[in-house]
Amino acid sequence: MHKIYLDHNATTPVLPEVLDVMLPFYKNQFGNPSSVHSEGRVARVSLDVAREQVAELIGAKPVEIVFTSGGSESNNFAILGVALSLNNKKRHIVTSAVEHSAIINPLKQLETLGFCIDYIPVDSYGRVDPQKVKSIITNSTALVTIQHANSEVGTLQNISEIGKLVQSKGVLFHTDAVQTIGKIPVNVNNLEADLLSISSHKIYGPKGVGALFIKKGTPSLFCLVSGGGQEKKRRGGTENVPGIVGFGKACQIAQYRLIKGHTEQLKKMRDQLRKQINKLIPNVNFFGCPDKCLPNTLNCGFEGADGEALLIALDMEGIFVSTGSACSSGTGLPSQVLSAMRLPKSMISSSLRFSLGFSNTFEDVNFTAATLANAVMLSRKNMS
Ligand SMILES: Cc1ncc(COP(=O)(O)O)c(C=O)c1O
């Protein structure tokens, strides 16, 4: 059966070129980057190269990149690292109602420690009003953290305006850019971010690797992983050299694809999917912001059908999509993101997310829409 993978916001396949540069570090070049001998030095130099590649993709300086175990750790490091560095002087944090669980859960931990968290509501497109963020900041605000793009609906926030407003109040600003890097240009200088989280496995790199950008001049964050002083004492533990090298290569390829306009192709295929769904299936609602959106993401609800049943029906035909985010699906709870956008429960439970990637084709998209049309018809019949 021909497989059609349309879940690239959950994860992406490792590119062959990425795997190729990783493999030697599992075989002959296995040195520890902290070792002084030449085997260690080979690993150290490779880390330096990867750091430059990652920094280059987001317009940062290599020294501003701290390697982590992925987007979740980067978010935890940013939030807990700022909060715990302040000796209880500032105990207020601002975020949005549509953040990933790797933002929400560390914030909930801080609430149990007496921190006060404000969750800014979003409009029906999932957008945060920058002025609302500004108006809620007080003298006690330690950090504002607002995502760059939403993984479920693809809505993009006006991060540069939010960043400017937050910084004008003298408050640190973090953005979770895990879903945007590699899909749209991300430049830390335009985004006015002090801290920015990225992850390797969303951009055709290996899993279990990511980075936190920490702008030069940012006060030292509380170190969550203390150890042997790696990453300039910001994150202890022997570095995941093969993973980091692969991440660097994935960033280099992502930059090439952005420059060459490959993401335009994703957008064209996504728009074709929307067109075909509209043509073949009645009573469909599209969620998220129509223009300020990731180029590869489409989230829609099929009135009177069941999203889980549709997912399974597509799976049986070799088509892989998701309901909600990969991390929260399977909990049986309605998507927090769609709930925050104030969509009725019946609409939420009928929704599917399609997230396209570079290996998809127009044929994939047309076949998916046709298969989906049958699945929706069946599900609606079963539900009535
Ligand atoms: C917006 C966002 N932030 C953070 C993460 C977590 O990243 P990782 O899987 O690398 O821990 C994800 C993963 O789905 C995400 O979509």
Side-chain angles (χ1 to χ4, degrees):
M1 192 195 308
H2 175 58
K3 291 184 181 175
I4 302 177
Y5 183 80
L6 297 173
D7 202 14
H8 293 83
N9 287 6
T11 196
T12 56
V14 174
L15 288 172
E17 303 93 304
V18 169
L19 186 61
D20 282 349
V21 298
M22 292 173 68
L23 286 177
F25 294 90
Y26 286 113
K27 293 178 179 170
N28 309 328
Q29 289 167 223
F30 56 84
N32 185 326
S34 298
S35 296
V36 179
H37 51 65
S38 53
E39 285 298 309
R41 288 204 303 275
V42 168
R44 165 68 43 210
V45 169
S46 306
L47 284 191
D48 292 345
V49 170
R51 204 181 302 280
E52 276 169 25
Q53 290 166 325
V54 174
E56 174 97 16
L57 179 63
I58 59 170
K61 301 179 188 76
V63 69
E64 296 174 318
I65 301 296
V66 179
F67 288 118
T68 66
S69 66
S72 298
E73 186 187 323
S74 300
N75 285 344
N76 274 262
F77 186 21
I79 290 168
L80 300 175
V82 168
L84 302 179
S85 67
L86 293 172
N87 289 329
N88 290 336
K89 276 189 228 128
K90 293 186 172 188
R91 293 167 74 82
H92 176 231
I93 297 180
V94 178
T95 190
S96 84
V98 290
E99 299 294 319
H100 190 268
S101 49
I103 295 286
I104 298 292
N105 287 333
L107 290 174
K108 294 230 173 297
Q109 285 179 309
L110 288 176
E111 275 177 319
T112 67
L113 298 176
F115 280 76
C116 169
I117 316 294
D118 269 313
Y119 299 86
I120 308 276
V122 293
D123 64 17
S124 60
Y125 288 151
R127 298 262 289 171
V128 171
D129 177 354
Q131 291 302 330
K132 274 200 185 134
V133 177
K134 186 181 177 196
S135 68
I136 212 155
I137 290 173
T138 70
N139 289 339
S140 310
T141 308
L143 177 74
V144 173
T145 174
I146 305 281
Q147 67 189 195
H148 194 187
N150 187 271
S151 62
E152 291 183 43
V153 292
T155 296
L156 289 163
Q157 302 299 341
N158 191 347
I159 286 300
S160 49
E161 190 181 341
I162 295 172
K164 243 179 243 150
L165 292 173
V166 172
Q167 289 189 342
S168 74
K169 294 269 196 171
V171 173
L172 287 175
F173 178 55
H174 167 252
T175 186
D176 174 351
V178 164
Q179 287 295 343
T180 43
I181 65 153
K183 297 185 185 123
I184 60 169
V186 173
N187 188 306
V188 289
N189 303 302
N190 303 339
L191 294 183
E192 314 282 346
D194 300 297
L195 303 157
L196 179 141
S197 300
I198 56 181
S199 174
S200 155
H201 74 103
K202 310 285 187 183
I203 60 160
Y204 305 85
K207 294 173 179 58
V209 198
L212 180 67
F213 157 80
I214 306 179
K215 191 179 186 168
K216 208 158 174 249
T218 302
S220 293
L221 305 193
F222 183 86
C223 178
L224 297 190
V225 186
S226 305
Q230 288 89 348
E231 297 298 283
K232 297 200 184 308
K233 299 199 176 131
R234 295 172 293 184
R235 201 262 189 188
T238 303
E239 297 87 342
N240 172 4
V241 181
I244 290 171
V245 167
F247 182 25
K249 185 71 185 174
C251 285
Q252 192 189 42
I253 295 170
Q255 190 163 26
Y256 172 83
R257 282 175 159 167
L258 285 167
I259 291 168
K260 293 283 175 191
H262 288 192
T263 51
E264 264 307 298
Q265 182 73 356
L266 287 182
K267 190 166 174 298
K268 281 188 192 144
M269 284 192 288
R270 191 270 317 271
D271 292 347
Q272 167 78 358
L273 179 61
R274 186 188 351 232
K275 200 173 122 203
Q276 286 299 99
I277 288 176
N278 250 335
K279 192 170 122 190
L280 300 175
I281 309 173
N283 302 324
V284 183
N285 301 292
F286 293 94
F287 307 136
C289 192
D291 53 342
K292 304 273 187 291
C293 185
L294 290 174
N296 75 323
T297 307
L298 187 68
N299 192 317
C300 42
F302 306 89
E303 279 171 33
D306 176 43
E308 292 286 336
L310 297 178
L311 184 148
I312 291 164
L314 291 178
D315 191 14
M316 282 163 59
E317 297 298 327
I319 301 169
F320 310 120
V321 302
S322 74
T323 56
S325 83
C327 313
S328 66
S329 55
T331 59
L333 297 170
S335 152
Q336 282 197 7
V337 171
L338 298 183
S339 303
M341 289 160 63
R342 286 180 288 282
L343 299 175
K345 270 206 182 98
S346 60
M347 248 193 220
I348 296 174
S349 63
S350 75
S351 73
L352 286 182
R353 176 190 72 181
F354 305 86
S355 48
L356 282 72
F358 293 112
S359 63
N360 293 134
T361 62
F362 282 94
E363 288 74 38
D364 289 348
V365 160
N366 293 339
F367 182 73
T368 299
T371 311
L372 181 64
N374 286 332
V376 170
M377 213 163 54
L378 208 67
S379 174
R380 281 177 175 160
K381 215 192 258 171
N382 290 340
M383 299 270 289
S384 63

